[in-house]
Amino acid sequence: MTQPPPPPNQPPQQPGFGPPQDPSSQQQPPAQPPAQPSGAPSGPDLSKNPEPGYGYPQAPQTPPAGPPGTPPPAAGPSAPQGPGYGYPQQPPTPAAGYGYPGQQPPQPQQQPQQPQPSGPYGQPQQPGAQGQPGYGQPGYGQPGYGQSAYGQPGYGQPGYGYPQPPTMPMQPQPGQPGGGRKFSAQMGIVVAAVVAIALIVGGGVWYASSSGKDDDKQTTAETGGTGGDTKGGDAGGGSTGAKEKAPADTASKVLFQVPAPKVPKGSSTISTSGSWLTDTVYAKSGIAEIVGYDRAKGTKKWTIDLPGPVCEATAHVTDDNKTAVIYKPAMPTKDDPQRCTNVALIDLAAGEEVWTKTAKSGTMPISFNNVTISGGTVAAGSTSGGAAWEVASGKQLWAPKTSDACYDAGYGGGAKLVAVRKCGTYEQRQLHIQTIDPKSGKVVSEYKMDEGIEYAGIVSTEPLVVAADVGDTAGDGSGISDFFSIDNKTGKLRTRISAPGEEFAARCDIITRIEKCSGLAVGNDRLYIPTEEHEGTGEYSQTNEVVAFDLSTGKQTGQRADAGDGYQLTPLRMDGGNVLAYKRPPYDKGGQIVSIDGASFKQTTLMENPATEAVRNVETRMLPDYAEILYAQGGLYMSGVYASDFSSSDDEYLVIAFGTG
């Protein structure tokens, strides 16, 4: 899952787009075609399955390295020299949660450059290894999370791809305070009355319980995202349940563009994480605001003003168009970068902030790293543990317990609510993947990963699929060396899929953004994942494929969708039994949205964007791994995840929207 080579069919000596950087370090395509050794492979061998998964380390590992290199050039001959909007090399720096009383506090995970509070709950940050962006992470995976009629990229897609250097957190020691789920006295009595029947099944533990009703749309903002959409699909897939249909004319036009916001004085980058679709509104985070735009015209329908920037946002949306975000209580300054303490429920239909909550670990407010929605519950995780609130009332359902040595680092939402719970010391870390009742926080099932796996990302909650970089063997900053297919009713491991970084192109930001996985989709009890780019048939051209893995056997199904020469194909989300995917184009064409039939893998083009240079210049700055990409009902919405002062051009955009018909 390494950084792909320059865009296909790209004329030599063209400026490129990508994260802000020293101009001297920008890569250029070769002036001449690179010499290829005779017999050089043209891509991964898709006729065989990958080798068995890597072994688990017994010693502590370093965090995964960041995305290698810079993105390749993506525009035509007159593309500007400056980096594309929304791809800062220096990411925003939300602070991590406070530590645990009576022990060494964890190092912040998202705010390496900010000063930390003094005293027992804070300490200076020690930068760690570069992490992986989510919601559109570098590499060319695709955001769109995966499973809904209004699916979005990725975190990633995307996706939300926010390049940042998370640090290695210090974890609670056995017997020391940690984060956990704490119930009210009344809830404790109810839970105590339930007889738990534990059955040891393989590596999992099953508990008698009933999970809360899922009232969430599988609306996602990144590729793959949590909560596989299997509605209408069967083991064979196919177009059953698909909502997206090809129009009579697939040629799109630009519906509207939103100029990039200006970064406040004293800030170099500000997060603009979060975008959502309803039937009538496209909503997007700006600087300390969320704006609802008319889907067709781009006119503002409503604006929610916030005191500070949005740090994180879930892509999931309830049936009545509610979603959740984390934001800072004030605008960051050089002296006070602020912390991501406020969790808010947003009504996308009414354009209102329904409620805002905070939680404490001990006496100090928690700085949250991730947020999600499932079964009428908003849940947020951090290095200090997790907390949850009822969507309808804002009532707190649980919060960290200072007596617990384990803590909820984060949650995956959608069809189910799944916690990544960390236990033990850094040297003897063990991750518990817990499907939990969203109303009570009670564990429904649990799978314990082998010791030595420090981080895991939730790819899908139904079916349950987890990604991990076992032993830091991915080697490319993608966060993925293996996928784990888990039965979330019994907690038993169904199968493990090896996905070597040099062969496959998906990504998970497993350090802090637990459900920010991009460039893949889950449905039909299968995992759909793109291969890395490899040589095409044309001069300078690159291409790739999307393949499928059976989640019960771990083997490839033999299905393959080819991107076509000069294109790169990346899954966005499921549409019933079909896979929606984005095709990154060569330098002289516009991007495409295609539907891949889950059974035949036949591709149907749903949209093709204009090939004019001016439009391409904007679209190619919104590449899947660097942007949030949403497609539904003939509309494609591509947006940046940062506003920065690194731009060298005034013609920068936060959003570009395309439509057919």
Side-chain angles (χ1 to χ4, degrees), residues 3-19 21 25-31 69-84 87 140 533 540 542 566 568 584-588 616-617 619-623 626:
Q3 181 73 19
N9 303 324
Q10 180 74 14
Q13 308 297 336
Q14 296 305 318
F17 297 101
Q21 55 188 298
S25 67
Q26 290 186 337
Q27 298 178 345
Q28 302 291 339
T70 57
S78 61
Q81 290 285 346
Y87 312 149
Y140 286 24
E533 281 191 310
Y540 304 121
Q542 298 285 310
Q568 183 181 3
R584 177 183 60 78
Y587 79 97
D588 57 348
R616 289 199 324 267
N617 285 348
E619 180 180 0
T620 53
R621 295 173 188 230
M622 303 290 186
L623 292 175
Y626 290 101

Side-chain angles (χ1 to χ4, degrees), residues 84-96:
Y85 166 72
Y87 312 149
Q89 193 169 34
Q90 296 299 324
T93 54

Side-chain angles (χ1 to χ4, degrees), residues 160 215-217 219 273-278 281-286 288-293 302-328 342-357 371-373 377-379 389-394:
Y160 303 156
D215 59 1
D216 296 61
K217 296 177 183 178
T219 302
S273 170
S275 58
W276 307 267
L277 279 175
T278 72
V281 171
Y282 168 71
K284 173 63 186 171
S285 294
E289 67 178 6
I290 300 174
V291 180
Y293 301 92
W302 49 259
T303 299
I304 300 173
D305 293 318
L306 301 172
V310 172
C311 304
E312 290 294 334
T314 182
H316 299 295
V317 177
T318 64
D319 288 337
D320 58 352
N321 294 314
K322 305 278 195 322
T323 191
V325 301
I326 302 170
Y327 67 83
K328 295 183 177 184
N342 291 22
V343 178
L345 183 74
I346 302 298
D347 187 330
L348 298 172
E352 296 177 352
E353 183 178 357
V354 181
W355 51 253
T356 297
K357 303 294 179 179
V371 66
T372 194
I373 289 184
T377 294
V378 173
W389 301 266
E390 187 177 72
V391 167
S393 66

Side-chain angles (χ1 to χ4, degrees), residues 90 109 120 127 169 219 224 269 271 324 341 362 427 430 464 468 507 532 627 632:
Q90 296 299 324
Q109 293 203 27
T219 302
T269 59
S271 170
T341 56
E427 292 78 9
Q430 187 171 49
L464 179 53
R507 287 181 172 272
E532 284 286 1

Side-chain angles (χ1 to χ4, degrees), residues 251-575:
S252 73
K253 62 180 180 180
V254 176
L255 298 178
F256 62 89
Q257 297 175 100
V258 177
K262 300 299 181 182
V263 176
K265 185 177 180 180
S267 298
S268 59
T269 59
I270 295 289
S271 170
T272 57
S273 170
S275 58
W276 307 267
L277 279 175
T278 72
D279 289 339
T280 58
V281 171
Y282 168 71
K284 173 63 186 171
S285 294
I287 294 181
E289 67 178 6
I290 300 174
V291 180
Y293 301 92
D294 181 281
R295 283 189 52 159
K297 302 176 183 178
T299 54
K300 290 185 179 181
K301 302 189 73 169
W302 49 259
T303 299
I304 300 173
D305 293 318
L306 301 172
V310 172
C311 304
E312 290 294 334
T314 182
H316 299 295
V317 177
T318 64
D319 288 337
D320 58 352
N321 294 314
K322 305 278 195 322
T323 191
V325 301
I326 302 170
Y327 67 83
K328 295 183 177 184
M331 288 301 295
T333 64
K334 190 173 183 179
D335 295 328
D336 186 3
Q338 296 294 319
R339 304 167 65 249
C340 303
T341 56
N342 291 22
V343 178
L345 183 74
I346 302 298
D347 187 330
L348 298 172
E352 296 177 352
E353 183 178 357
V354 181
W355 51 253
T356 297
K357 303 294 179 179
T358 60
K360 293 182 178 181
S361 177
T363 60
M364 302 301 294
I366 295 173
S367 183
F368 291 103
N369 298 325
N370 54 78
V371 66
T372 194
I373 289 184
S374 179
T377 294
V378 173
S382 75
T383 55
S384 294
W389 301 266
E390 187 177 72
V391 167
S393 66
K395 174 185 176 182
Q396 188 169 84
L397 300 175
W398 65 79
K401 294 195 307 183
T402 57
S403 60
D404 197 343
C406 299
Y407 68 96
D408 292 355
Y411 302 93
K416 302 286 185 181
L417 184 60
V418 176
V420 175
R421 191 163 176 82
K422 294 192 175 185
C423 296
T425 63
Y426 172 70
E427 292 78 9
Q428 294 180 311
R429 171 77 62 240
Q430 187 171 49
L431 302 183
H432 298 189
I433 309 301
Q434 298 178 334
T435 298
I436 59 179
D437 186 306
K439 300 299 184 184
S440 66
K442 181 179 179 181
V443 177
V444 177
S445 68
E446 178 178 74
Y447 172 73
K448 295 181 180 180
M449 304 189 80
D450 284 30
E451 288 187 7
I453 300 178
E454 292 294 323
Y455 306 100
I458 305 296
V459 177
S460 167
T461 61
E462 178 65 10
L464 179 53
V465 180
V466 174
D469 186 359
V470 180
D472 293 333
T473 52
D476 62 351
S478 66
I480 304 172
S481 68
D482 296 81
F483 293 95
F484 297 78
S485 174
I486 301 167
D487 188 323
N488 57 15
K489 294 181 180 179
T490 65
K492 182 178 180 180
L493 180 67
R494 300 175 66 197
T495 190
R496 177 174 166 180
I497 299 170
S498 176
E502 67 271 15
E503 293 184 32
F504 298 100
R507 287 181 172 272
C508 283
D509 187 0
I510 59 176
I511 303 295
T512 57
R513 294 182 176 93
I514 300 301
E515 67 174 357
K516 302 305 185 197
C517 292
S518 64
L520 45 83
V522 173
N524 307 317
D525 206 34
R526 291 171 181 169
L527 169 68
Y528 300 97
I529 184 170
T531 67
E532 284 286 1
E533 281 191 310
H534 56 82
E535 290 181 9
T537 58
E539 188 177 23
Y540 304 121
S541 73
Q542 298 285 310
T543 190
N544 79 327
E545 301 79 28
V546 168
V547 297
F549 285 89
D550 190 303
L551 290 175
S552 63
T553 66
K555 297 180 179 180
Q556 286 194 37
T557 64
Q559 297 166 305
R560 185 178 83 173
D562 296 315
D565 203 40
Y567 288 87
Q568 183 181 3
L569 186 62
T570 309
L572 288 174
R573 62 176 177 88
M574 297 301 297
D575 175 33

